[in-house]
């Protein structure tokens, strides 16, 4: 795991992506900028999977549920009053998703549930949340006076307001990429921190870590809570960006797509997850927009091939190859065992 | 390492400890005690319950009955992580290293709970040197040999500066030179005051280093004494070699 100061393909790529993100609005239409804002928002969902699956080793199909909780909380609070409550709504969305994950995580990890059943429980959570929201079409289903709307979801959700300034269009784009890159850099920092190593230890062997004095259930619960809050942040920004939220936001499909993107990139690599989410989102959108009915089949075949031939992830393999080339070019001799 | 203290002071007491797995009685009313600074070996035929005893001491398995006392404190019902923080450490039978991570990452995980961050690199260097794997660089652990992984795990176990070190078959799968080095390492750690309890099948290794030996058979204590007493005990010879 390389730090940010090392000259390597991962860091060079991250820098290129950052420059690309910053100059993107200069060369592209408002429509494209808006489209890419959505892609960057999805990166936060992928990051939440990197934290819980890639760093902590807990396979979760429930991240979309936390994403949806964040999205619905923001929507309900920002719609419930004419007052400028969007910042409060955003914070509440993150907090409620985080607390929801924390409570769930407490019962899972302190209850000693094994890895396979954790995956099944999180899968069920997504299904339960989506099913619950779907049946809220009756007029009695109101929270803070806001009708949840069942299948139709919530529309006309206000944009985030900072003072009197409404985040929309290019300002919203820059706000989102600032959040995404801030989270990205925090991840890179975490990788070399004590907490990061504690997570890796738990991921590689929970029992061994316990014998080194780590309180593994506490570490897993906190990581699950943090990943829920991170997914919640994604949901808040999704809600504020799109202006709508529907039950499928919490669906297993949504979780699965994010898991697939992270698996394709390499689940232990946050740079890979960032880039793969952007590429995957872009191509899925392009394939769908072109009317290609086989878009999911094409992506599915691609996934199978990558899992078969590059089990560590396509981008992680590419980074490794590029680093070898880079070292050759720089005339460095690799330290070997 | 822990300082040498009065030899009579007990570091570990197992009082009628038992472990049942369903209908199988793996360990039954097993009692033993260890003085501080002692180097004791636990031997017995396969399936005698030695590793189960280690796992009960470390808290991996809760004891079905009995009491475990460490440095005067009853630790029978506390978690493995708390026991580790109280000063006991283990090298597992199958190397318990993080194979997907590098050598230094393994050391970092083992040490960071016990060593201040500023001294981490220095302490890791010292421990790696102690077990003679400093020339390897920083390979991914899965690319290290079995012996190197064993020594790395001993270095990881020492990172917490324990008072009691449990070694489950430290010489298993090692060549003669590697076994010789492991024996020297264990003896030298013990001479610095570290109490060590180890399981081993290689009797030459046991003869070379152990002060006291406890023999287990079918989950019970079978014999106990100095190494000379044990190797000359007819009953012990019989359970190892049979009537022939």
């Amino acid at each position: 795991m390389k730090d940010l100061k090392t000259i390597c393909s991962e860091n060079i790529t991250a820098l290129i992506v950052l420059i690309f993100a910053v100059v993107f609005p200069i060369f592209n239409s408002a429509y494209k900028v808006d489209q890419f804002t959505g892609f960057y928002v999805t990166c936060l969902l992928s990051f939440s999977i990197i934290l819980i699956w890639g760093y902590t080793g807990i396979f979760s199909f429930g991240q979309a549920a936390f994403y949806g909780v964040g999205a619905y909380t923001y929507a309900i609070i920002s719609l419930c009053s004419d007052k400028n409550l969007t910042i409060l709504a955003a914070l509440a969305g993150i907090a409620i998703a985080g607390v929801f994950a924390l409570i769930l995580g407490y019962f899972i990890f302190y209850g000693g549930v094994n890895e396979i059943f954790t995956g099944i429980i999180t899968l069920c959570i997504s299904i339960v949340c989506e099913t619950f929201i779907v049946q809220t079409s009756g007029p009695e289903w109101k929270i803070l006076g806001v009708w949840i709307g069942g299948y139709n979801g919530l529309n006309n959700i206000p944009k985030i307001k900072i003072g009197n300034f409404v985040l929309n269009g290019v300002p919203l784009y820059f706000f989102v990429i600032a959040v995404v890159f801030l989270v990205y850099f925090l991840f890179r920092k975490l990788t070399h921190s004590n907490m990061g190593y504690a997570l890796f230890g738990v991921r590689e062997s929970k029992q061994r870590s316990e014998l080194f004095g780590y309180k593994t259930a506490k570490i897993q619960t906190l990581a699950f809570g943090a990943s829920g809050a991170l997914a919640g942040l994604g949901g808040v920004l999704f809600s504020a960006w799109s202006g709508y939220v529907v039950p499928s936001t919490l669906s297993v499909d949504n979780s699965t797509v994010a898991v697939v993107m992270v698996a394709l990139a390499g689940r232990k690599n946050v740079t890979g997850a960032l880039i793969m989410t952007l590429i995957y989102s872009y191509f899925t959108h392009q394939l769908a927009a072109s009317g290609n009915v086989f878009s999911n089949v094409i992506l599915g075949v691609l996934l199978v091939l990558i899992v078969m031939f590059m089990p560590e992830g396509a981008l992680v393999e590419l980074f490794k190859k590029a680093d070898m080339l880079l070292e050759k070019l720089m005339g460095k001799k690799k330290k070997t065992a | 390492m822990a300082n040498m203290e009065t030899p009579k002071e007990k570091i570990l007491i197992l009082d009628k400890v038992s472990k049942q797995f369903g209908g199988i009685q793996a360990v039954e009313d097993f009692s033993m005690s260890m003085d501080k600074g002692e180097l004791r070996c636990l031997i017995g035929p396969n399936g005698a319950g030695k590793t189960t005893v280690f796992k009960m001491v470390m808290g991996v398995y809760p004891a079905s009955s009995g009491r475990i006392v460490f440095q005067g404190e009853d630790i029978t019902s506390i978690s493995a992580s708390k026991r580790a923080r109280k000063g006991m450490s283990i090298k597992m039978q199958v190397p318990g290293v993080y194979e997907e991570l590098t050598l230094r990452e393994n050391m970092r995980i083992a040490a960071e709970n016990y060593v201040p961050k500023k001294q981490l690199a220095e302490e890791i260097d010292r421990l790696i040197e102690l077990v003679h794997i400093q020339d390897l660089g920083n390979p991914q652990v899965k690319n290290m040999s079995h012996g190197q992984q064993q020594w790395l795990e001993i270095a990881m176990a020492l990172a917490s500066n324990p008072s009691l070190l449990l070694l489950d078959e430290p010489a298993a799968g090692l060549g003669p030179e590697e076994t010789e080095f492991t024996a020297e390492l264990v003896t030298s750690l013990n001479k610095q005051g570290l109490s060590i309890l180890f399981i081993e099948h290689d009797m030459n290794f046991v003869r070379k280093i152990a002060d006291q030996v406890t023999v287990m058979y079918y989950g019970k204590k079978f014999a106990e004494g100095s190494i000379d007493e044990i190797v000359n005990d007819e009953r012990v010879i019989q359970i190892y070699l049979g009537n022939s």
Side-chain angles (χ1 to χ4, degrees):
Chain A
M1 283 163 278
K2 286 164 177 147
D3 63 25
L4 278 165
K5 291 172 192 161
T6 314
I7 298 174
C8 62
S9 58
E10 184 183 349
N11 287 347
I12 294 169
T13 315
L15 185 66
I16 293 169
V17 174
L18 177 60
I19 295 168
F20 168 81
V22 172
V23 300
F24 187 80
I26 303 170
F27 304 104
N28 286 282
S29 64
Y31 171 75
K32 280 268 179 211
V33 170
D34 188 56
Q35 190 185 39
F36 266 75
T37 306
F39 298 161
Y40 282 106
V41 166
T42 312
C43 289
L44 294 166
L45 183 59
S46 300
F47 287 170
S48 81
I49 288 168
I50 284 279
L51 178 60
I52 200 63
W53 185 34
Y55 280 30
T56 321
I58 300 158
F59 189 73
S60 169
F61 263 125
Q63 298 311 106
F66 308 129
Y67 186 79
V69 167
Y72 267 93
T73 306
Y74 175 81
I76 290 165
I77 296 178
S78 61
L79 282 168
C80 78
S81 161
D82 291 336
K83 291 177 191 166
N84 190 358
L85 288 177
T86 57
I87 296 287
L88 177 73
L91 294 174
I94 299 164
I96 290 175
V99 170
F100 178 37
L102 208 59
I103 293 169
L104 188 64
Y106 174 82
F107 287 107
I108 292 174
F109 304 115
Y110 282 88
V113 176
N114 71 25
E115 287 87 355
I116 294 167
F117 281 98
T118 302
I120 294 171
I121 289 171
T122 53
L123 180 86
C124 294
I125 289 295
S126 265
I127 295 169
V128 167
C129 288
E130 187 187 7
T131 311
F132 171 75
I133 295 290
V134 164
Q135 58 82 51
T136 58
S137 51
E140 72 278 16
W141 287 102
K142 284 184 178 178
I143 299 176
L144 299 174
V146 177
W147 177 51
I148 302 173
Y151 258 123
N152 295 324
L154 296 164
N155 294 298
N156 301 319
I157 299 164
K159 303 283 179 194
I160 294 173
K161 270 189 199 170
I162 301 174
N164 286 327
F165 187 73
V166 178
L167 288 174
N168 199 5
V170 174
L172 178 64
Y173 171 86
F174 278 111
F175 180 77
V176 168
I177 64 164
V179 170
V180 167
F181 279 95
L182 177 69
V183 173
Y184 170 80
F185 286 116
L186 288 175
F187 262 95
R188 296 297 302 272
K189 203 100 182 106
L190 176 73
T191 307
H192 296 277
S193 67
N194 280 3
M195 188 60 192
Y197 281 103
L199 295 178
F200 303 150
V202 171
R203 177 189 70 199
E204 299 298 324
S205 169
K206 192 178 160 186
Q207 188 192 77
R208 197 62 185 107
S209 292
E210 192 91 23
L211 295 172
F212 284 131
Y214 291 96
K215 293 174 180 169
T216 54
K218 185 178 170 185
I219 291 170
Q220 289 179 308
T221 304
L222 289 175
F224 199 66
S227 83
L230 192 51
L233 169 65
V236 165
L237 292 178
F238 170 79
S239 211
W241 161 72
S242 64
Y244 71 90
V245 55
V246 288
S248 65
T249 313
L250 304 95
S251 68
V252 174
D253 286 2
N254 215 9
S255 287
T256 309
V257 168
V259 167
V260 167
M261 290 188 291
V262 168
L264 284 177
R267 72 181 172 106
K268 298 172 189 172
N269 190 294
V270 69
T271 312
L274 170 69
I275 296 165
M276 186 56 83
T277 306
L278 294 175
I279 294 173
Y280 190 102
S281 303
Y282 179 75
F283 281 106
T284 312
H285 192 270
Q286 290 303 106
L287 279 170
S290 70
N292 192 328
V293 289
F294 296 111
S295 64
N296 280 337
V297 177
I298 294 167
L299 292 167
V301 169
L302 196 66
L303 172 68
V304 171
L305 290 176
I306 288 176
V307 168
M308 278 176 71
F309 296 107
M310 290 182 271
E312 280 192 54
L315 292 182
V316 168
E317 292 288 344
L318 275 178
F319 288 149
K320 275 187 192 168
K321 295 261 187 308
D323 280 342
M324 282 159 72
L325 194 68
L326 203 64
E327 279 182 19
K328 237 180 189 175
L329 288 173
M330 292 171 78
K332 277 184 185 174
K333 282 188 177 174
K334 205 176 179 183
K335 284 181 186 173
T336 51
Chain B
M1 293 310 112
N3 292 326
M4 263 293 211
E5 292 180 43
T6 1
K8 294 289 177 193
E9 208 175 331
K10 299 291 179 199
I11 189 153
L12 180 71
I13 300 168
L14 301 182
D15 181 19
K16 292 189 175 175
V17 173
S18 298
K19 181 67 196 172
Q20 256 182 317
F21 296 105
I24 297 166
Q25 187 78 44
V27 176
E28 190 178 353
D29 286 340
F30 180 77
S31 297
M32 66 164 268
S33 64
M34 256 184 89
D35 293 338
K36 277 194 177 171
E38 192 181 317
L39 178 53
R40 178 183 289 259
C41 183
L42 194 56
I43 63 168
N46 283 335
K50 307 178 295 292
T51 297
T52 305
V53 167
F54 265 35
K55 289 189 172 174
M56 281 194 286
V57 171
M58 280 306 299
V60 176
Y61 296 152
S64 305
S65 64
R67 228 163 49 99
I68 301 169
V69 178
F70 176 62
Q71 294 186 317
E73 186 187 346
D74 189 336
I75 57 161
T76 317
S77 54
I78 70 170
S79 68
S81 64
K82 280 187 184 159
R83 293 183 199 204
R85 284 174 184 258
K86 285 187 182 295
M88 54 168 72
S89 204
I90 186 169
K91 186 211 86 65
M92 318 275 268
Q93 188 174 17
V94 177
V97 287
Y98 304 109
E99 287 195 343
E100 294 296 320
L101 303 179
T102 67
L103 188 157
R104 292 191 77 86
E105 285 169 349
N106 270 262
M107 288 301 303
R108 168 84 187 254
I109 293 170
E112 69 177 18
N113 278 335
Y114 308 95
V115 182
K117 204 169 182 178
K118 282 183 181 169
Q119 292 159 26
L120 259 176
E122 201 183 315
E123 181 62 4
I124 288 170
D125 286 340
R126 186 186 75 78
L127 290 167
I128 287 174
E129 211 165 308
L130 184 75
V131 298
H132 286 199
I133 51 173
Q134 72 275 21
D135 295 332
L136 297 179
N138 190 25
Q140 206 171 6
V141 168
K142 68 180 176 191
N143 296 325
M144 290 165 63
S145 72
H146 175 73
Q148 289 162 348
Q149 289 190 14
Q150 297 260 47
W151 296 328
L152 169 63
E153 198 184 357
I154 293 175
M156 290 165 78
L158 292 171
S160 61
N161 193 17
S163 309
L164 173 65
L165 178 63
L166 307 177
L167 299 172
D168 196 344
E169 300 196 31
L174 301 185
E177 280 181 21
E178 292 173 322
T179 305
E180 183 68 35
F181 170 67
T182 306
E184 280 170 24
L185 177 66
V186 173
T187 312
S188 126
L189 290 169
N190 178 247
K191 278 186 180 153
Q192 290 169 55
L194 179 61
S195 310
I196 301 174
L197 176 62
F198 71 100
I199 295 173
E200 191 49 69
H201 284 292
D202 180 346
M203 285 310 286
N204 289 329
F205 183 88
V206 178
R207 270 199 199 98
K208 207 173 284 176
I209 68 169
D211 298 333
Q212 291 288 308
V213 178
T214 301
V215 186
M216 283 189 79
Y217 190 51
Y218 282 117
K220 293 181 178 174
K221 184 155 84 177
F222 186 76
E224 195 166 55
S226 69
I227 181 71
D228 290 332
E229 287 167 348
I230 293 299
V231 293
N232 294 314
D233 186 327
E234 283 300 324
R235 294 183 317 136
V236 174
I237 294 168
Q238 202 173 1
I239 63 164
Y240 266 98
L241 301 177
N243 288 325
S244 59

